[in-house]
C-alpha cells in the first residue's frame, strides 16, 4: 500500500514532473510553447513556496450570484461590497485566516 502524501509533497512532485516534461520538449516543440510551460513551472514553484500548508479557495460564479455575500458571511464582516443591482464590479478580493491557537 502506498503511503499518503501531503498536498505540498504532491505539488512539489507534480511541478518536478512538469519541469522534466518541459526539459524533454526543448528542441521538439515551438519555443513559445516551451517558454509558456517554463513560466507555469516557475509560477507553480513560487506559489508553492509562499505558504506551505495553506489552502487557497476561490469563490466563482455568475454576476449577481452571491459571491460577495458569501464571502462576507464566511469572514463575518462586510469586506466585499454587495448591491441589489448588477454588476457590482469590485476588484478581486482576498482574505487570510489563521487557524485558532488551539487548532482548527
Amino acid at each position: 500500500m502506498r503511503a499518503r502524501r501531503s498536498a505540498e509533497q504532491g505539488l512539489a512532485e507534480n511541478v518536478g514532473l512538469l519541469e522534466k516534461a518541459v526539459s524533454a520538449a526543448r528542441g521538439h516543440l515551438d519555443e513559445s510553447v516551451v517558454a509558456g510551460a517554463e513560466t507555469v513551472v516557475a509560477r507553480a514553484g513560487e506559489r508553492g513556496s509562499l505558504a506551505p500548508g495553506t489552502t487557497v479557495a476561490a469563490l466563482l460564479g455568475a454576476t449577481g450570484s452571491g459571491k460577495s455575500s458569501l464571502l462576507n458571511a464566511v469572514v463575518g464582516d462586510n469586506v466585499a461590497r454587495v448591491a441589489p443591482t448588477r454588476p457590482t464590479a469590485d476588484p478581486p478580493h482576498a482574505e487570510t485566516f489563521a487557524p485558532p491557537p488551539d487548532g482548527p
Side-chain angles (χ1 to χ4, degrees), residues 78-102:
N78 289 321
V79 296
R81 184 170 58 109
V82 296
T85 58
R86 297 176 5 171
T88 302
D90 268 347
H93 191 91
E95 287 294 323
T96 58
F97 300 90
D102 57 347

Side-chain angles (χ1 to χ4, degrees), residues 1-100:
M1 184 161 87
R2 203 168 91 169
R4 185 176 173 146
R5 297 177 302 157
S6 71
E8 294 85 16
Q9 290 168 326
L11 176 62
E13 182 179 328
N14 288 338
V15 170
L17 291 171
L18 181 56
E19 195 168 26
K20 286 181 182 180
V22 170
S23 180
R26 283 192 193 93
H28 300 285
L29 296 178
D30 185 87
E31 277 304 308
S32 65
V33 172
V34 174
E38 288 173 330
T39 299
V40 169
V41 169
R43 289 185 67 196
E46 289 170 9
R47 177 63 188 102
S49 68
L50 288 178
T54 299
T55 299
V56 177
L59 301 177
L60 307 170
T63 300
S65 63
K67 299 176 297 292
S68 294
S69 296
L70 178 59
L71 177 63
N72 289 341
V74 169
V75 172
D77 196 5
N78 289 321
V79 296
R81 184 170 58 109
V82 296
T85 58
R86 297 176 5 171
T88 302
D90 268 347
H93 191 91
E95 287 294 323
T96 58
F97 300 90

